[in-house]
Amino acid sequence: MMDTYKIAVIAGDGIGPEVIAEGIKVLNKAAELDGGFRFEFTHFPWGCDYYLKNGEMMPKDGIETLSKFDAIFLGAVGDPKVPDHISLWDLLLIIRKSFDQYINLRPVKLLKGAPCPLAGVGTEDIDMTFIRENSEGEYAGSGAWLYKGKPNEVVIQNGVFSRMGCERVIRYAFELAKKEKKTLTSISKGNALNYSMVFWDQIFAEVSKEYPEVETHKLLVDAASMFMVKDPKRFQIVVTSNLFGDILTDLGAAIAGGMGLAAGANLNPERKFPSMFEPIHGSAPDIAGKGLADPLATIWAAAQMLEHFGREDWGKKIVDGIETMLCERKTLTPDLGGNSSTSEVGDAFCKLMETF
Ligand code: NAD
Ligand code: IPM
Ligand code: MN
């Protein structure tokens, strides 16, 4: 019997709709060529335009509506007309939290043909998988704003690190390292963050006892940033907190081809709730509406979605296809030195898929 995957599409703002259109083309093409599965896409017009009209980023029952889908495909959220902490909290972050997507899996892999600003570094030197904690930590949303506008005004932003929250993400990273026979590096900051990161380090040490076969490393986040540039090959699987993972994966994007190539999966490993797949870049207002956005990150996120559905063959073929596009250099957007438009890249990719 043919499997049908029901996908909620939130194209969002800025370049979101431009790149999502190409991701959908690729998913439909994979389904057509495979013959064993199909997609049913439902589009939700949520985001900043919706907010400007309705005063909310999505309807009150938005989360309940999304819960009925097999996965969410998200473009990007954010518009200069809406404060970022409103647009991002009330849509992206609330989805990650409501659906307990506590794993943010972000490949930092330099494909053949991708530009790399580092001297003397080859594709074999940059091949990491970041496991970013995605449900709590610095993004717990806990704090206070006291005496607003008064001379004694104070703001407090709490980091919340629960035992369960740290253990489950660290254990997930160990399982992946064990399965892929790779090293695992924990990135933290216990020297300064004397509660949260000391706790993180302690839990990393505890869980590591269950995995004697996994070679582990531990780095402070400042040194880790330096080594990602100076000696990226020391990293394979990486596990880190929500904020550090956010920052380090933009750095990862910079050394592995740019924002146009960086994808991420927000996973609920128990599959109790839908997982969400997205490029890690934002709405890029500086290039929106011009056909300049690189859709390859979104196409890579589509590959992650196929893997999530057990279609690892398609996941791999699509990432290999991105590499082929990069090596051929025929149809690329300007960020990768080409002069093709967003939709030309998507169309060329679908054509290439016919040769897989
Ligand atoms: P950004 O990622 O949107 O852009 C940073 C730079 O990278 C820009 O110069 C942009 O043109 C370039 N870039 C990004 N994606 C590209 C692509 N696919 N192809 C070519 N170039 C690309 O980050 P920002 O400017 O800091 O944020 C813009 C808005 O997006 C803000 O509102 C921010 O809060 C939001 N944001 C949303 C998400 C998300 O929805 N997941 C992620 C990050 C930022
Ligand atoms: C990302 C983004 C988000 C994050 C923002 C937009 C809230 O930067 O997905 O990397 O910090 O998680
Ligand atoms: Mn980010």
Side-chain angles (χ1 to χ4, degrees), residues 71-263:
I72 303 162
F73 199 26
L74 182 122
V77 180
D79 185 293
K81 292 197 281 296
V82 180
D84 277 342
H85 67 280
I86 294 178
S87 59
L88 274 311
W89 262 99
D90 292 1
L91 193 57
L92 178 79
L93 296 179
I94 211 72
I95 293 173
R96 287 180 183 165
K97 276 178 211 292
S98 302
F99 294 143
D100 209 13
Q101 295 165 347
Y102 61 88
I103 299 298
N104 193 191
L105 192 154
R106 296 184 161 185
V108 175
K109 184 175 167 61
L110 183 66
L111 299 182
K112 286 193 210 92
C116 177
L118 307 181
V121 164
T123 49
E124 64 289 352
D125 298 321
I126 303 184
D127 189 358
M128 322 175 190
T129 304
F130 265 78
I131 305 298
R132 166 191 180 193
E133 203 293 319
N134 211 31
S135 66
E136 55 168 31
E138 308 88 341
Y139 283 50
S142 154
W145 198 312
L146 306 174
Y147 321 118
K148 225 173 205 175
K150 307 245 168 61
N152 55 343
E153 188 166 14
V154 174
V155 300
I156 299 163
Q157 185 93 44
N158 295 310
V160 176
F161 290 73
S162 67
R163 176 169 282 280
M164 182 194 79
C166 297
E167 264 186 30
R168 64 185 184 175
V169 67
I170 289 171
R171 188 165 279 116
Y172 184 96
F174 268 105
E175 285 292 330
L176 187 66
K178 180 176 159 184
K179 186 171 137 219
E180 299 194 346
K181 297 194 170 45
K182 291 187 171 156
T183 65
L184 174 61
T185 300
S186 166
I187 298 179
S188 60
K189 185 70 187 170
N191 54 357
L193 303 183
N194 53 341
Y195 298 105
S196 57
M197 292 292 170
V198 171
F199 186 59
W200 174 281
D201 289 345
Q202 183 193 311
I203 292 179
F204 186 77
E206 280 171 24
V207 177
S208 81
K209 294 208 182 81
E210 296 169 32
Y211 297 88
E213 64 277 63
V214 176
E215 180 185 326
T216 58
H217 300 274
K218 206 180 123 192
L219 283 173
L220 295 162
V221 66
D222 44 356
S225 319
M226 178 276 293
F227 281 129
M228 276 181 72
V229 172
K230 296 285 279 184
D231 188 20
K233 65 178 178 305
R234 65 166 66 214
F235 300 96
Q236 293 183 348
I237 312 289
V238 177
V239 65
T240 191
S241 72
N242 210 331
L243 180 63
F244 293 172
D246 174 48
I247 299 167
L248 292 173
T249 52
D250 263 35
L251 175 60
I255 62 171
M259 293 310 284
L261 281 171

Side-chain angles (χ1 to χ4, degrees), residues 11 253 266:
N266 303 273

